[in-house]
Amino acid sequence: NEAVDHFFQGQALRLYTPLELSFSASKLRNMDALSKSDPMLVVYTKMDGRLEEIGRTEVILNSLEPLWITKAMINYQFEIVQPLVFRIYDVDTKYHNTPLKTLNLAQQDFLGEAFCNLSEIVTKFNHSLTLNLRNGSGHALQGTVTVHAEETASSRMAVDMQFHCLNLDNKDTFSKSDPFLRVSRLSESAVAIPICKTEVIKNNLNPVWRPITLTSQQYSSKDDPLLVECFDFDASGNHELIGSLQTTIAQLENLYNSKAGANFYSHKGQKKLKGQLFLDKFQEKVQHTFLDYISSGFELNFMVAVDFTASNGDPRVPQSLHYIDPSGRPNSYQQAILGVSEVLQFYDNDRRFPAWGFGAKIPRGSVSHCFNLNASTNDCEVVGVEGIMSAYSSTLYSVSLAGPTLFGPVISKAAEIASHSVQYGNNKYFVLLIITDGVITDQQETKDSIVRASDLPLSILIVGVGNADFTQMRILDADFGKRLESSTGRVATRDIVQFVPMREVQGGQVTVVQSLLEELPGQFLEYMRTRDIKPRPPQHASAPPAYPPPPPQL
């Protein structure tokens, strides 16, 4: 929702999943003459090219097959690539009584190192990955290291709640307020971090909202402070505060059990109001997490569609948004493709990505609003991130930029693939990235195609590049509390669009990719849970994925 987006983009505070990493090694080199090596493992994250140590294991004496007890904690964030480095040392006997944290690693024998991204571990069956050890120059050494990631039990806890209010203050002159609730977690510095909100109830001072679910990742602990605010919805986004109250999950549980109401207070708690908050439901539950699905064989299949309309400018001139810089500096389109695909590629088993263009006149043809970037074959798929980048570059010189800007055909094509996949199983979820420089001219057709796609395993990420007025584009991203409605009056079953203008997040602490991807695990889980699709049991999880035959090509 808009509050969450605004806060995250301004503060760079993100929701994450705490993981515990365990380590073992096998067939290590023996560096000692009269006994076996005494190995210790050190784990690092790589931040902006720098290594940051996050933990050290204990030293295990005389072992070339160590199974360390000491764990390392790390916060998994889906929307970023998290590189890890593991280094193993043979600790010299004379340092065995030295505290581990003060141990000088340069004085120990180096047994080897290994690299991976955290997403490579969590996508594996049972969250375990074995890596070959290498020396500092990258050459293979004897031995392997195995890393196992485990979610803490608390990360699966959640609570379902249903709220209603009585006697809310009326903020409208000619009608009644349109109330909705926003729940925020209060940080140690008393900053409110929005974590959830209800739908808007029109023209009602005694609203009853649909149930909401809060996960333990959102509320932290049952005794951590929460802020519940009731607003009168305004389409401009300037919602007026009706009242607020501070509480905790534990206090909300007591409120439910007592069947009593809690009074709202005016701004900054200055005045007690007559409006009250009640709970009709409070139910704790253990629920499957995003990683439960991913590690049991569920996939995120990436697709991309690129805007080749004339408003981008002639690709041969440096002012063009499609200009390929000879120095290798990526343009806005390349930045978006690289950033999103580098994160999502680890969640796609075959790494074959459908890639389309729209808004250009194709060779020996007319203007097309959905054509394959892979012109060498009749296949819409390309292989790997490099395949997308190569197909994009070659397409720039083989088509004539034209127009207008239409989203409907590419969204319908992506929906066709997602719909086709559902017939063969439910372990695939599709992610369509659309990169555009302009305002769409088929807004109603686009809305209709999004509403139809909201029933499918599909999310749509839209990046706006350049300096166009993207006001209308925000309507597609139903973050203002109102779901999209089709021309026939059908309402989208869920919000599947995330729109980010590149210029608004460039230079900030949160990247375009993070802003785009932050809602994706939630959209994935909403689709799976509303259809009661559960992670696969372990005996099926390791089976190779069954790929359905491809749908008919354009």
Side-chain angles (χ1 to χ4, degrees), residues 308-346:
F308 286 96
T309 55
S311 53
N312 283 282
D314 187 340
R316 294 168 293 186
V317 301
Q319 292 76 27
S320 170
L321 292 168
H322 278 308
Y323 179 66
I324 305 290
D325 194 325
S327 70
R329 183 171 174 268
N331 64 33
S332 296
Y333 284 90
Q334 291 171 312
Q335 287 176 41
I337 294 169
L338 276 171
V340 175
S341 60
E342 282 180 345
V343 171
L344 294 182
Q345 63 175 332
F346 298 108

Side-chain angles (χ1 to χ4, degrees), residues 305-491:
V306 178
D307 182 337
F308 286 96
T309 55
S311 53
N312 283 282
D314 187 340
R316 294 168 293 186
V317 301
Q319 292 76 27
S320 170
L321 292 168
H322 278 308
Y323 179 66
I324 305 290
D325 194 325
S327 70
R329 183 171 174 268
N331 64 33
S332 296
Y333 284 90
Q334 291 171 312
Q335 287 176 41
I337 294 169
L338 276 171
V340 175
S341 60
E342 282 180 345
V343 171
L344 294 182
Q345 63 175 332
F346 298 108
Y347 302 88
D348 191 323
N349 279 348
D350 68 352
R351 300 195 186 178
R352 295 179 62 88
F353 310 125
W356 302 291
F358 59 92
K361 184 178 181 183
I362 57 177
R364 298 179 300 282
S366 56
V367 174
S368 172
H369 301 292
C370 184
F371 57 89
N372 297 336
L373 293 190
N374 186 2
S376 58
T377 69
N378 195 31
D379 189 354
C380 68
E381 292 185 331
V382 296
V383 179
V385 178
E386 303 79 10
I388 302 176
M389 299 302 286
S390 173
Y392 162 71
S393 300
S394 60
T395 300
L396 274 177
Y397 303 108
S398 64
V399 301
S400 301
L401 274 55
T405 305
L406 308 181
F407 280 5
V410 291
I411 294 175
S412 296
K413 185 63 183 174
E416 179 189 339
I417 292 176
S419 177
H420 185 77
S421 172
V422 169
Q423 300 172 31
Y424 293 88
N426 56 19
N427 71 316
K428 290 177 179 290
Y429 191 91
F430 295 84
V431 183
L432 171 64
L433 170 66
I434 301 176
I435 316 167
T436 184
D437 83 312
V439 179
I440 52 175
T441 52
D442 65 337
Q443 190 168 56
Q444 191 56 59
E445 184 189 343
T446 297
K447 284 183 181 179
D448 290 349
S449 60
I450 292 172
V451 170
R452 288 193 299 270
S454 66
D455 284 328
L456 295 169
L458 175 67
S459 287
I460 301 168
L461 313 174
I462 305 174
V463 179
V465 298
N467 297 312
D469 180 1
F470 292 116
T471 305
Q472 284 187 303
M473 204 74 80
R474 297 180 189 277
I475 298 171
L476 304 179
D477 187 341
D479 279 347
F480 286 97
K482 187 177 180 182
R483 288 185 176 169
L484 286 184
E485 191 172 311
S486 74
S487 53
T488 60
R490 183 184 166 201
V491 177

